[in-house]
């Protein structure tokens, strides 16, 4: 949140990169949806007000901490779920959580799970600071089914350091976890194991080594504390390089050590090519140290609104114990349904077997609200049904919820899901219409209840440019005075002012009744706009009324 003291050109930088340039009038502003990454981000605003001076505003701290799981201060989230097992439908299960932003840097949480045999309770926290983020959790399981360990505990603690603003600094993650013997979270099944007590430490480090080279390395150490007392270490790493603008190579390896077992070594080389002019076109190849290989191709063709195709082949060279395979997949999605086709063949290998498969899937659903119906991909818990009125039939329409990806249709009703029960902004637009054509209800605030559909209906409306002339009681032009424009609901919809001849202009009005309040002396003018094909209305002489206050 920030304040613009004078009309200015505002430049917004995130991690040293210019992300937005806007002209802003004087006032208070809040920024949302900034392209910040997890870790410590640098945010800077520059204000240029035309005087030649540039004012710089930076975040209160040198770096802004953005961490997964950190809520805004005083914001809370909670959830609850319950059901039965898929295989054992007589085994109920329930879980719930509550999270609260204690401050902008610290979030705490409580959680619980329960089944017919045990209950788990615990808490967790996430803290984002200027030296990295710290997170942890602890849980206690109490069981009453006669198991040898009726009480068991687990705990973990993690640390991560990442600064997207400093491209040369590596990212570091460390995580430690402990579980006692028999620790097993509740689950909707009667099959209950007895996990061993163990401790595990994981560490990862990685970053960029140059303009087109990056690397990463990880270590996992694990040791069981009872039973057979096994100890294992897993080492892994990768090296990635952009060879060309469209070609990337990645070399990865792993080496696993476990007490009493020979080391397991593996490595693979992969190459990926993409067309920067077509983000849907990708080609990939990978070769593993054990001889297995694969090649893949994916693209989108202009069929059925954009059909995706994928072709994959494994072990095409042959001579391996594993069989070779070729598979083809196609899919197309629209607001009205999904269709997919998958097929493939398997052949060769040590058993020299041959098999093939083919499947086709078509799915759609029918949503309705207040007598209006629409085909849709699936019916969610709650939805908004966008329906154009007669005036907009056959015209390309665009709909969105909270600025999400727009849905397009040619005059047909469209249903789109509401992700939560919170207030949301629904919007309707005509992207191919003239600039002065808008929806009669261009946007609306909606808030749904449990399993409900909201009908959003709107038609075409032309925006008008209105001109007129106002004079005082002596016949003199009402010159150089500002006016506030209000609609029939007494809502302010715009502003205007007169010139030396008393002429004023108003842009962007739709048909309806309006009034203009001139100055602070209770003087008003009223007029009404009717449909007009020209889009420009000259009101001529506009009378002034005096309102007693």
């Amino acid at each position: 949140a920030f304040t613009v003291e004078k009309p200015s050109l505002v430049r917004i930088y995130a991690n040293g990169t210019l992300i937005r340039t806007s002209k802003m009038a004087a006032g208070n502003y809040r920024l949302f949806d900034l392209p910040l990454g997890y870790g410590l981000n640098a945010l800077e605003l520059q204000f240029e007000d035309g005087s030649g001076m540039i004012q710089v505003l930076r975040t209160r701290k040198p770096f802004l901490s953005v961490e997964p799981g950190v809520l805004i201060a005083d914001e809370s989230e909670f959830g609850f779920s319950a059901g039965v097992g898929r295989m054992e439908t007589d085994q109920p299960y329930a879980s719930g959580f509550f999270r609260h932003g204690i401050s902008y840097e610290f979030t705490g949480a409580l959680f619980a799970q329960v089944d017919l045999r045990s209950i788990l309770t615990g808490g967790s926290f996430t803290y984002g600071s200027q030296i990295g983020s710290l997170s942890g959790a602890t849980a206690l399981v109490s069981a009453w089914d006669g198991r040898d360990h009726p009480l068991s505990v687990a705990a973990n603690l993690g640390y991560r350091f990442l600064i997207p603003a400093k491209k040369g600094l590596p990212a570091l993650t460390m995580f430690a976890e402990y579980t006692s013997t028999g620790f097993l979270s509740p689950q909707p099944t009667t099959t209950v194991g007895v996990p061993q007590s163990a401790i595990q430490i994981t560490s990862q480090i990685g970053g960029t080594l140059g303009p087109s080279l990056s690397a990463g390395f990880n270590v996992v150490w694990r040791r069981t504390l009872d039973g057979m007392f096994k100890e294992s270490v897993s080492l892994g790493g990768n090296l990635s390089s952009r060879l060309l603008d469209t070609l990337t190579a990645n070399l990865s390896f792993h080496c696993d050590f476990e007490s009493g077992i020979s080391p397991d070594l593996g490595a693979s080389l992969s190459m990926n090519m993409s067309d920067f002019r077509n983000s849907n076109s990708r080609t990939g190849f990978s070769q593993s140290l054990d001889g297995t290989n694969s090649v893949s191709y994916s693209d989108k063709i202009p069929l059925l609104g954009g059909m995706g195709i994928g072709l994959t082949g494994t072990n095409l060279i042959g001579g391996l114990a594993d069989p070779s395979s070729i598979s083809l997949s196609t899919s197309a999605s629209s607001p009205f349904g999904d269709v997919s086709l998958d097929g493939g063949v398997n052949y060769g290998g040590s058993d020299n077997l041959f098999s093939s498969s083919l499947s086709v899937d078509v799915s759609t659903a029918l949503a309705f609200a207040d007598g209006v119906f629409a085909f849709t991909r699936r019916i969610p818990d709650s939805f908004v049904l966008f329906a154009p009125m007669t005036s907009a039939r056959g015209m390309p329409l665009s709909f969105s919820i909270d600025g999400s990806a727009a849905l397009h249709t040619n005059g047909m009703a469209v249903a789109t899901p509401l992700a939560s029960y919170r207030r949301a902004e629904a919007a309707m637009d005509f992207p191919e219409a003239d600039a002065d054509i808008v929806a009669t209800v261009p946007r609306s605030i909606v808030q749904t209840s449990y399993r409900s559909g909201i009908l959003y209906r709107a038609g075409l409306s032309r925006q008008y440019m209105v001109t007129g002339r106002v004079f005082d009681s002596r016949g003199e032009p009402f010159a150089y005075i500002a006016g506030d424009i209000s609609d029939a609901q007494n809502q302010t919809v715009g502003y205007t002012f007169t010139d030396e001849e008393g002429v004023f202009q108003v842009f962007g009005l739709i048909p309806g009744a309006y009034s203009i309040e001139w100055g602070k002396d209770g003087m008003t003018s009223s007029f009404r706009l009717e449909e007009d094909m020209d889009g420009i209305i000259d009101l001529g002489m506009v009378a002034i009324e005096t309102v007693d206050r």
Side-chain angles (χ1 to χ4, degrees), residues 178-454:
Y178 166 78
T179 56
S180 68
T181 304
F183 181 85
L184 186 68
S185 60
Q187 48 194 301
T189 176
T190 56
T191 304
V192 178
V194 185
Q196 292 180 301
S197 175
I199 184 171
Q200 179 172 299
I201 298 177
T202 303
S203 179
Q204 295 177 324
I205 187 171
T208 58
L209 303 179
S212 60
L213 186 65
S214 61
F217 184 75
N218 64 82
V219 179
V220 180
W221 173 81
R222 178 180 176 83
R223 181 174 183 179
T224 57
L225 304 179
D226 56 7
M228 300 181 64
F229 295 97
K230 292 184 178 180
E231 186 174 9
S232 64
V233 177
S234 178
L235 307 177
N238 70 280
L239 185 66
S240 180
S241 176
R242 179 172 291 278
L243 304 179
L244 301 171
D245 289 340
T246 59
L247 181 64
T248 301
N250 185 78
L251 176 64
S252 61
F253 74 92
H254 71 87
C255 188
D256 301 327
F257 303 89
E258 186 174 342
S259 53
I261 301 177
S262 300
D264 179 26
L265 177 64
S268 64
L269 173 65
S270 61
M271 309 283 286
N272 293 278
M273 179 177 293
S274 60
D275 187 348
F276 64 89
R277 296 165 299 183
N278 179 10
S279 60
N280 299 305
S281 178
R282 296 178 179 274
T283 304
F285 171 78
S286 67
Q287 177 69 55
S288 300
L289 189 63
D290 60 3
T292 59
N293 55 83
S294 67
V295 61
S296 62
Y297 173 77
S298 63
D299 204 347
K300 181 172 286 189
I301 57 178
L303 182 65
L304 297 178
M307 174 174 284
I309 60 171
L311 181 64
T312 303
T314 60
N315 300 333
L316 299 182
I317 299 176
L320 299 173
D322 297 329
S324 301
S325 66
I326 300 176
S327 62
L328 173 68
S329 63
T330 61
S331 62
S333 298
S334 75
F336 314 109
D338 298 322
V339 59
S340 63
L341 183 147
D342 298 278
V345 295
N346 298 274
Y347 61 92
S350 57
D351 296 330
N352 198 26
L353 299 178
F354 179 86
S355 63
S356 62
S357 63
L358 179 66
S359 64
V360 179
D361 182 82
V362 179
S363 63
T364 188
L366 187 65
F368 62 91
D370 196 23
V372 178
F373 296 81
F375 286 99
T376 181
R377 297 176 62 184
R378 62 186 65 88
I379 296 182
D381 177 271
S382 298
F383 60 90
V384 175
L385 184 59
F386 293 97
M389 300 176 69
T390 304
S391 60
R393 295 279 172 83
M395 177 170 287
L397 301 173
S398 174
F399 314 97
S400 65
I401 297 291
D402 280 342
S404 60
L407 299 173
H408 299 278
T409 180
N410 289 324
M412 299 179 62
V414 173
T416 184
L418 288 172
S420 71
Y421 299 129
R422 297 179 180 177
R423 290 163 59 90
E425 181 182 273
M428 178 184 291
D429 189 21
F430 302 96
E432 296 184 13
D434 294 337
D436 59 349
I437 297 296
V438 297
T440 54
V441 186
R443 62 185 52 83
S444 178
I445 299 297
V446 297
Q447 185 168 5
T448 182
S449 58
Y450 177 64
R451 289 190 175 178
S452 62
I454 297 176

Side-chain angles (χ1 to χ4, degrees), residues 69-153:
V70 175
L71 300 178
I72 297 174
D74 297 326
E75 182 179 285
S76 297
E77 290 183 348
F78 64 90
F80 174 80
S81 64
V84 298
R86 292 186 177 184
M87 302 300 296
E88 301 178 50
T89 55
D90 60 342
Q91 298 297 311
Y93 170 89
S95 66
F97 72 90
F98 175 81
R99 303 173 62 241
H100 182 72
I102 300 174
S103 69
Y104 282 95
E105 294 85 12
F106 190 89
T107 295
L110 298 174
F111 53 85
Q113 301 175 18
V114 63
D115 63 9
L116 293 179
R117 292 158 300 281
S118 62
I119 181 173
L120 177 148
T121 58
S124 65
F125 75 91
T126 303
Y127 174 68
S129 73
Q130 305 312 300
I131 57 173
S133 66
L134 193 66
S135 61
T138 182
L140 171 68
V141 172
S142 176
W144 52 83
D145 57 354
R147 65 182 69 174
D148 294 336
H149 303 277
L151 290 176
S152 55
V153 298

